[in-house]
Amino acid sequence: MAILTILHYPDPRLREAGKPVDAITDEVKKFVGDMAETMYAAPGVGLAATQVGVALRIFVIDIADEGEPSALQVFINAEIVEKRGKIEWKEGCLSFPGASENIDRAEWVKVRAKGLDGELFELEAEGLLAVAVQHENDHLDGKLMIDKLGPLRKRVLHRKMLAGAN
Ligand code: GNR
Ligand code: NI
């Protein structure tokens, strides 16, 4: 396993859309293992392939609290098939180190994806899991949380990221 380098805003590779994975090869499995290791080391509650410079539709999430056993969830070729409600959530992003911003999201989502075993599954999520699924899915479309801010906060965060050591 290996810890991968997480790209920081405004790296242009964060704007690339991921391509669907067509076969879950040993190489894909190894990459997912590296993504998980990278997420746990960061630490983060999620990580999208885009954030490590790989334009594939893969993300991993683990929302288990500290002290709880880890609960890795792997999403390959995920699609959000239903959304309900609105919620504001204070989000962080490993590609915006040190930032946290209130972001509007759906409060409930149904997501369809493949797991590492290649089996299609559907998951209904609310709370942090729903927010994380939407946040990671946005990464795969090259969308970032800064895009969801109003003009003033957008400018402040942009300048902060340019100023930071990154
Ligand atoms: O670690 C992360 N925490 C987080 C908190 C609230 C909402 C979303 C997230 S995702 C983020 C990790 C990350 O950047 N994933 O892309
Ligand atoms: Ni992120």
Side-chain angles (χ1 to χ4, degrees):
M1 297 238 274
I3 291 177
L4 309 170
T5 302
I6 298 174
L7 305 177
H8 292 169
Y9 178 89
D11 192 303
R13 288 169 287 178
L14 290 169
R15 294 304 189 178
E16 281 177 35
K19 297 174 195 70
V21 173
D22 50 37
I24 302 170
T25 59
D26 287 351
E27 189 187 11
V28 167
K29 288 179 187 166
K30 179 186 184 297
F31 173 62
V32 170
D34 290 345
M35 283 182 68
E37 193 182 7
T38 304
M39 173 183 72
Y40 290 126
V45 303
L47 185 72
T50 330
Q51 291 180 280
V52 293
V54 174
L56 287 175
R57 302 195 74 83
I58 302 174
F59 58 83
V60 293
I61 291 179
D62 190 333
I63 58 159
D65 278 328
E66 251 183 275
E68 281 179 30
S70 61
L72 181 68
Q73 291 177 282
V74 178
F75 298 78
I76 296 173
N77 299 344
E79 288 175 77
I80 296 173
V81 294
E82 253 183 89
K83 290 187 184 197
R84 284 188 208 142
K86 285 271 170 284
I87 196 171
E88 191 183 69
W89 202 278
K90 192 159 191 157
E91 299 190 13
C93 181
L94 296 170
S95 297
F96 292 82
S100 62
E101 298 289 341
N102 289 320
I103 306 290
D104 291 324
R105 297 288 184 184
E107 69 171 1
W108 179 96
V109 297
K110 185 195 277 189
V111 59
R112 184 180 295 153
K114 279 181 178 180
L116 257 196
D117 57 4
E119 292 294 311
L120 206 56
F121 65 89
E122 276 190 359
L123 176 72
E124 294 180 20
E126 58 185 8
L128 176 58
L129 183 56
V131 169
V133 163
Q134 293 169 81
H135 177 114
E136 303 313 337
N137 201 250
D138 275 355
H139 275 301
L140 303 188
D141 293 327
K143 291 186 211 152
L144 298 169
M145 67 178 192
I146 195 170
D147 306 338
K148 302 179 81 77
L149 300 176
L152 178 59
R153 293 224 50 83
K154 189 175 288 186
R155 179 178 160 84
V156 168
L157 181 56
H158 177 75
R159 293 173 71 107
K160 185 174 156 185
M161 288 303 124
L162 296 185
N166 263 309

PDB file of all heavy atoms in Angstrom, residues 39-51:
ATOM      1  N   MET A  39      -6.706   8.326   2.782  1.00  0.00           N
ATOM      2  CA  MET A  39      -7.798   8.973   3.527  1.00  0.00           C
ATOM      3  C   MET A  39      -7.581   8.835   5.038  1.00  0.00           C
ATOM      4  O   MET A  39      -7.723   9.814   5.769  1.00  0.00           O
ATOM      5  CB  MET A  39      -9.135   8.333   3.133  1.00  0.00           C
ATOM      6  CG  MET A  39     -10.312   8.814   3.976  1.00  0.00           C
ATOM      7  SD  MET A  39     -11.860   7.998   3.550  1.00  0.00           S
ATOM      8  CE  MET A  39     -11.589   6.362   4.222  1.00  0.00           C
ATOM      9  N   TYR A  40      -7.219   7.617   5.501  1.00  0.00           N
ATOM     10  CA  TYR A  40      -7.028   7.417   6.941  1.00  0.00           C
ATOM     11  C   TYR A  40      -5.835   8.206   7.454  1.00  0.00           C
ATOM     12  O   TYR A  40      -5.852   8.713   8.579  1.00  0.00           O
ATOM     13  CB  TYR A  40      -6.860   5.929   7.268  1.00  0.00           C
ATOM     14  CG  TYR A  40      -8.137   5.121   7.095  1.00  0.00           C
ATOM     15  CD1 TYR A  40      -8.164   3.986   6.299  1.00  0.00           C
ATOM     16  CD2 TYR A  40      -9.319   5.510   7.735  1.00  0.00           C
ATOM     17  CE1 TYR A  40      -9.328   3.242   6.132  1.00  0.00           C
ATOM     18  CE2 TYR A  40     -10.483   4.788   7.568  1.00  0.00           C
ATOM     19  CZ  TYR A  40     -10.488   3.650   6.769  1.00  0.00           C
ATOM     20  OH  TYR A  40     -11.649   2.935   6.611  1.00  0.00           O
ATOM     21  N   ALA A  41      -4.794   8.323   6.644  1.00  0.00           N
ATOM     22  CA  ALA A  41      -3.589   9.036   7.078  1.00  0.00           C
ATOM     23  C   ALA A  41      -3.830  10.536   7.168  1.00  0.00           C
ATOM     24  O   ALA A  41      -3.203  11.227   7.975  1.00  0.00           O
ATOM     25  CB  ALA A  41      -2.434   8.742   6.119  1.00  0.00           C
ATOM     26  N   ALA A  42      -4.760  11.047   6.343  1.00  0.00           N
ATOM     27  CA  ALA A  42      -4.909  12.508   6.216  1.00  0.00           C
ATOM     28  C   ALA A  42      -5.186  13.227   7.556  1.00  0.00           C
ATOM     29  O   ALA A  42      -4.457  14.175   7.877  1.00  0.00           O
ATOM     30  CB  ALA A  42      -5.945  12.846   5.149  1.00  0.00           C
ATOM     31  N   PRO A  43      -6.156  12.878   8.404  1.00  0.00           N
ATOM     32  CA  PRO A  43      -7.259  11.967   8.133  1.00  0.00           C
ATOM     33  C   PRO A  43      -8.430  12.715   7.509  1.00  0.00           C
ATOM     34  O   PRO A  43      -8.590  13.911   7.715  1.00  0.00           O
ATOM     35  CB  PRO A  43      -7.642  11.478   9.542  1.00  0.00           C
ATOM     36  CG  PRO A  43      -7.393  12.675  10.419  1.00  0.00           C
ATOM     37  CD  PRO A  43      -6.251  13.443   9.792  1.00  0.00           C
ATOM     38  N   GLY A  44      -9.271  11.958   6.776  1.00  0.00           N
ATOM     39  CA  GLY A  44     -10.479  12.537   6.204  1.00  0.00           C
ATOM     40  C   GLY A  44     -11.614  11.546   6.280  1.00  0.00           C
ATOM     41  O   GLY A  44     -11.372  10.353   6.513  1.00  0.00           O
ATOM     42  N   VAL A  45     -12.839  12.019   6.088  1.00  0.00           N
ATOM     43  CA  VAL A  45     -13.985  11.105   6.090  1.00  0.00           C
ATOM     44  C   VAL A  45     -14.273  10.572   4.688  1.00  0.00           C
ATOM     45  O   VAL A  45     -15.083   9.664   4.523  1.00  0.00           O
ATOM     46  CB  VAL A  45     -15.272  11.738   6.675  1.00  0.00           C
ATOM     47  CG1 VAL A  45     -15.033  12.227   8.091  1.00  0.00           C
ATOM     48  CG2 VAL A  45     -15.796  12.862   5.822  1.00  0.00           C
ATOM     49  N   GLY A  46     -13.612  11.137   3.680  1.00  0.00           N
ATOM     50  CA  GLY A  46     -13.804  10.673   2.313  1.00  0.00           C
ATOM     51  C   GLY A  46     -12.621  11.075   1.459  1.00  0.00           C
ATOM     52  O   GLY A  46     -11.813  11.930   1.863  1.00  0.00           O
ATOM     53  N   LEU A  47     -12.518  10.441   0.309  1.00  0.00           N
ATOM     54  CA  LEU A  47     -11.476  10.826  -0.661  1.00  0.00           C
ATOM     55  C   LEU A  47     -11.945  10.386  -2.038  1.00  0.00           C
ATOM     56  O   LEU A  47     -12.408   9.254  -2.210  1.00  0.00           O
ATOM     57  CB  LEU A  47     -10.134  10.154  -0.319  1.00  0.00           C
ATOM     58  CG  LEU A  47      -8.942  10.582  -1.183  1.00  0.00           C
ATOM     59  CD1 LEU A  47      -8.483  12.000  -0.850  1.00  0.00           C
ATOM     60  CD2 LEU A  47      -7.770   9.613  -1.036  1.00  0.00           C
ATOM     61  N   ALA A  48     -11.811  11.284  -3.013  1.00  0.00           N
ATOM     62  CA  ALA A  48     -12.175  10.978  -4.395  1.00  0.00           C
ATOM     63  C   ALA A  48     -10.900  10.803  -5.229  1.00  0.00           C
ATOM     64  O   ALA A  48      -9.883  11.457  -4.972  1.00  0.00           O
ATOM     65  CB  ALA A  48     -13.021  12.117  -4.968  1.00  0.00           C
ATOM     66  N   ALA A  49     -10.966   9.922  -6.219  1.00  0.00           N
ATOM     67  CA  ALA A  49      -9.792   9.631  -7.060  1.00  0.00           C
ATOM     68  C   ALA A  49      -9.225  10.910  -7.690  1.00  0.00           C
ATOM     69  O   ALA A  49      -8.002  11.066  -7.805  1.00  0.00           O
ATOM     70  CB  ALA A  49     -10.165   8.613  -8.141  1.00  0.00           C
ATOM     71  N   THR A  50     -10.126  11.808  -8.080  1.00  0.00           N
ATOM     72  CA  THR A  50      -9.713  13.098  -8.651  1.00  0.00           C
ATOM     73  C   THR A  50      -8.695  13.820  -7.771  1.00  0.00           C
ATOM     74  O   THR A  50      -7.796  14.500  -8.269  1.00  0.00           O
ATOM     75  CB  THR A  50     -10.954  14.018  -8.758  1.00  0.00           C
ATOM     76  OG1 THR A  50     -12.113  13.227  -8.961  1.00  0.00           O
ATOM     77  CG2 THR A  50     -10.798  15.035  -9.858  1.00  0.00           C
ATOM     78  N   GLN A  51      -8.874  13.690  -6.454  1.00  0.00           N
ATOM     79  CA  GLN A  51      -8.007  14.417  -5.503  1.00  0.00           C
ATOM     80  C   GLN A  51      -6.580  13.890  -5.478  1.00  0.00           C
ATOM     81  O   GLN A  51      -5.695  14.550  -4.942  1.00  0.00           O
ATOM     82  CB  GLN A  51      -8.590  14.338  -4.078  1.00  0.00           C
ATOM     83  CG  GLN A  51      -9.864  15.127  -3.915  1.00  0.00           C
ATOM     84  CD  GLN A  51     -10.389  15.016  -2.495  1.00  0.00           C
ATOM     85  OE1 GLN A  51     -11.017  14.025  -2.153  1.00  0.00           O
ATOM     86  NE2 GLN A  51     -10.127  16.003  -1.659  1.00  0.00           N
TER      87      GLN A  51
END
